[in-house]
């Protein structure tokens, strides 16, 4: 489900959704800016901001999208953040050794510095914006992002199913 702002019928739609993609303002609007429970004592502004984003996404997921397995927020110039459900996040943390606060670099492109980097922090994946890019018009940017993300999901699904079918047939 693609969500921009709370509107009639959205809550019911989100309750059954498994993937939620929202913009950076949605959580504040959906939670009515009630962020008193989402404070931190961190002195690092960037770390504080990232932790706040993850806390808000988790709250929205629990309150509005209990069946969601993935929730993504687009962050404009800051890139995007992907959060898995608690169960999936716990399994991933055990595999990757993420202790919430440490930044774990998952993907860097030393050969081509025109590609974004992916890090893991606070149980979320953070993808930077495309470096060395000049944004001229953002019309359709969200649609393009969603199309690319869904293409990656389907490609992964198809490849995994093809591999499983090949293993069964052999």
């Amino acid at each position: 489900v693609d969500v921009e702002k709370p509107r009639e019928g959205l809550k019911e739609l989100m309750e059954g959704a498994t993937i939620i993609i929202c913009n950076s303002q949605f959580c504040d609007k959906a939670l009515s800016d009630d962020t008193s429970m989402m404070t931190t004592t961190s002195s690092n502004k960037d770390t504080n901001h990232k932790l706040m984003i993850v806390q808000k996404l988790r709250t929205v997921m629990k309150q509005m999208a209990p069946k969601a397995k993935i929730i993504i927020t687009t962050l404009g110039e800051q890139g995007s953040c992907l959060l898995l459900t608690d169960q999936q996040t716990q399994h991933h943390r055990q595999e990757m050794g993420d202790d919430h606060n440490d930044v774990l670099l998952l993907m860097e492109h030393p050969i081509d510095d025109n590609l974004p980097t992916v890090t893991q922090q606070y149980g979320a994946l953070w993808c930077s914006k495309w470096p060395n890019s000049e944004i001229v018009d953002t019309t359709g940017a969200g649609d393009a992002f969603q199309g690319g993300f869904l293409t990656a999901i389907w490609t992964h699904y198809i490849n995994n199913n093809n591999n499983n079918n090949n293993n069964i047939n052999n």
Side-chain angles (χ1 to χ4, degrees):
V1 174
D2 169 28
V3 294
E4 293 178 28
K5 59 186 174 186
R7 56 181 73 173
E8 188 177 332
L10 182 61
K11 184 176 184 228
E12 293 79 14
L13 185 61
M14 287 180 66
E15 286 174 353
T18 56
I19 299 175
I20 304 291
I21 301 176
C22 62
N23 63 27
S24 59
Q25 294 87 31
F26 176 75
C27 288
D28 289 334
K29 292 174 184 174
L31 298 173
S32 302
D33 290 322
D34 180 18
T35 58
S36 58
M37 64 179 181
M38 300 176 198
T39 58
T40 182
T41 57
S42 173
S43 59
N44 184 324
K45 189 174 183 179
D46 183 54
T47 300
N48 183 24
H49 181 69
K50 285 186 172 183
L51 179 58
M52 185 79 68
I53 289 170
V54 170
Q55 289 172 331
K56 288 178 182 183
L57 287 172
R58 287 199 188 287
T59 301
V60 166
M61 187 179 274
K62 287 177 184 173
Q63 290 180 2
M64 301 181 76
K67 294 181 182 176
K69 297 188 182 319
I70 299 172
I71 186 166
I72 302 169
T73 186
T74 55
L75 302 168
E77 289 287 319
Q78 298 171 339
S80 61
C81 174
L82 180 144
L83 185 66
L84 302 173
T85 60
D86 288 335
Q87 183 180 17
Q88 291 171 317
T89 302
Q90 184 64 23
H91 176 71
H92 189 68
R93 270 192 220 127
Q94 289 170 352
E95 285 183 355
M96 300 299 291
D98 181 26
D99 73 352
H100 287 312
N101 297 330
D102 292 338
V103 175
L104 178 62
L105 180 64
L106 299 176
M107 187 169 38
E108 186 176 44
H109 309 282
I111 296 172
D112 188 351
D113 56 349
N114 287 317
L115 297 173
T117 58
V118 178
T119 58
Q120 181 179 354
Q121 187 176 21
Y122 300 113
L125 297 178
W126 302 86
C127 184
S128 67
K129 71 172 187 148
W130 285 81
N132 304 320
S133 59
E134 182 182 338
I135 308 302
V136 177
D137 183 359
T138 59
T139 303
D143 295 334
F145 177 88
Q146 292 167 24
F149 181 77
L150 292 174
T151 298
I153 292 282
W154 277 109
T155 301
H156 177 77
Y157 175 79
I158 290 168
N159 288 340
N160 281 349
N161 280 343
N162 284 341
N163 289 339
N164 290 340
N165 289 339
N166 289 338
N167 290 337
I168 292 171
N169 293 330
N170 291 333

